[in-house]
Amino acid sequence: MEIVAWLPGNISPVHNYANWGIVALLSGLEKHTFWQQKKYRKFPNKIAQVGSQIL
C-alpha cells in the first residue's frame, strides 16, 4: 500500500506501475491523464495522451 499527499498544483510525471491500483481521494480533485503506447517504426516507444478524467 502507498499513501501519497499532494499540495495543490503539484504534478507527477508520466509513469507506469504495470499493475492495477485503486485511487481514493479524501478531499480535493485529481486530474488523471491516460496514455497509450503508439507503435511507429521511427519512434517505437512514443506515447500519446488518449484521455483524461477528473476524480
Side-chain angles (χ1 to χ4, degrees):
M1 178 164 69
E2 181 177 354
I3 298 173
V4 179
W6 293 96
L7 294 173
N10 282 10
I11 62 170
S12 173
V14 175
H15 57 277
N16 180 10
Y17 295 109
N19 58 21
W20 63 273
I22 296 172
V23 175
L25 300 173
L26 299 180
S27 66
L29 300 172
E30 174 185 277
K31 180 180 180 185
H32 190 87
T33 303
F34 299 95
W35 300 89
Q36 184 176 53
Q37 186 174 10
K38 299 292 185 177
K39 299 287 186 175
Y40 297 112
R41 183 178 297 185
K42 191 172 181 180
F43 305 103
N45 296 316
K46 185 174 180 69
I47 60 173
Q49 183 178 339
V50 294
S52 64
Q53 184 175 8
I54 302 293
L55 305 174

